[in-house]
Amino acid sequence: MQRFWDEPLSWGTAGIFVAGAVVVLAVVILFVTYAIYFERKVIGWMQFRKGPNRVGPLGLLQSVADVAKLLFKEDTIPSKADRALFILAPALAFIPSYLVLAIIPYGFNLQFADLNVGFLYYIALSGITTIAVVIGGWASNNKYSLLGGMRSAAQMISYEVPLVLSVVGVVMLSGSLNLRDIVVYQEGYFWHWNFIPQIIAFAIFIISAISELNRTPFDLPEAESELVAGYHVEYSGFRFAFYMLTEYIYVYAIACLTTILFLGGWNSPVPQLDFIPGIIWFFLKFAFIVFSLFWIRASFPRIRVDQLMSFAWKVLLPLAILNIFLTALGIELFGSGG
């Protein structure tokens, strides 16, 4: 059966792609709006506070009000900033974060682009955001912004290495870089999911992903105690909103990737529950990962920058390489490779 994305491009298929892109953008914006609300509520609950509770019923419109404030706030550009790069940087950060969503499979036939190198596509595009962060810090002509940009580049590049290597074991087991094939490999009972045979890789992936997201306890690029607000300290209004939108879109993408690579994607934990639609299983696992990211933010203090870099190169990288050798040994002994 030929799928519409395999057909020659026509006005009809182009319209389907555009409509799909608009729907995904609407879903992502809705997610970002209420992920911020949910995060504030979760952290408030953990810290014995109420969180947003005034604007709208149960505070549900607080994030909407915050977004509206950012959109209508005055757009300021420092007089000595590099104006062209200052304007370009937020868009350059946002566009790749949105494009990576094209390869996320929510079901066997529910994705926009079925690439054979889906995970590499994500890594290639997400790396552009690192460049955008550095450009934003440099263009602001502010020493704190520049320090934040340089620190962010060092952090994101360092943790990208163990992040990629942690997935090598998953690729060796499934025999494919295609995200849909990786999910298909995990069909059956939940102990077939990769997070059990690849528990070391799972831990490395989660830690590296949190650092890639610049979230607590790895939010060194935005350390307000020494850098005021890091690389985006000079940004205001909708340009700042683009940076914030980018961060939460990557939260969405990382939660999806974790679900796909390690938690069986749309597969049910036991075949007896296959009558429940796969998209529901995907959403439940996705929601658990997002909640865990918020939980970690509320639970751990920020670490020092030297500890951050040492942990990446001296702990995570050797463990990721060790996991590759252990996976190869397991495949050789038990023949479990795809």
Side-chain angles (χ1 to χ4, degrees), residues 159-176:
Y159 278 85
E160 202 168 78
V161 176
L163 180 78
V164 173
L165 290 179
S166 68
V167 180
V168 172
V170 172
V171 173
M172 292 169 68
L173 288 176
S174 62
S176 175

Side-chain angles (χ1 to χ4, degrees), residues 231-309:
Y231 58 89
H232 52 54
V233 66
E234 295 289 359
Y235 283 90
S236 63
F238 73 95
R239 300 189 201 281
F240 172 78
F242 266 110
Y243 273 123
M244 179 175 284
L245 182 63
T246 299
E247 177 183 329
Y248 278 90
I249 290 179
Y250 276 123
V251 168
Y252 179 95
I254 284 294
C256 288
L257 281 177
T258 307
T259 300
I260 291 164
L261 295 172
F262 295 99
L263 300 181
W266 59 82
N267 292 317
S268 61
V270 292
Q272 290 79 0
L273 295 176
D274 283 348
F275 64 91
I276 299 176
I279 189 69
I280 294 178
W281 289 117
F282 189 98
F283 173 76
L284 290 175
K285 299 169 189 177
F286 167 85
F288 171 75
I289 296 298
V290 172
F291 172 79
S292 299
L293 293 175
F294 298 161
W295 187 359
I296 290 169
R297 178 178 179 180
S299 303
F300 292 94
R302 180 185 296 132
I303 64 175
R304 298 197 316 261
V305 66
D306 61 311
Q307 295 172 328
L308 174 84
M309 302 303 289

Side-chain angles (χ1 to χ4, degrees), residues 222-229 302:
E222 303 172 18
E224 70 280 352
S225 57
E226 67 265 28
L227 296 179
V228 187
R302 180 185 296 132

Side-chain angles (χ1 to χ4, degrees), residues 20-93:
V22 171
V23 169
V24 170
L25 182 61
V27 169
V28 166
I29 290 176
L30 183 67
F31 165 80
V32 171
T33 301
Y34 284 98
I36 295 171
Y37 167 83
F38 182 57
E39 181 171 18
R40 294 170 69 182
K41 276 291 190 182
V42 168
I43 295 175
W45 167 65
M46 295 187 70
Q47 297 174 350
F48 297 102
R49 297 183 289 105
K50 290 186 177 181
N53 65 339
R54 298 294 182 89
V55 184
L58 303 176
L60 285 170
L61 298 180
Q62 181 63 59
S63 293
V64 177
D66 291 340
V67 170
K69 178 188 72 174
L70 288 173
L71 292 178
F72 291 103
K73 204 171 183 180
E74 181 182 4
D75 176 33
T76 59
I77 300 178
S79 59
K80 295 185 178 181
D82 186 321
R83 188 178 182 89
L85 291 179
F86 188 88
I87 293 172
L88 174 65
L92 192 61

Side-chain angles (χ1 to χ4, degrees), residues 210-233:
I210 294 172
S211 183
E212 284 282 291
L213 294 170
N214 293 332
R215 293 180 63 84
T216 307
F218 304 113
D219 58 335
L220 274 299
E222 303 172 18
E224 70 280 352
S225 57
E226 67 265 28
L227 296 179
V228 187
Y231 58 89
H232 52 54
V233 66

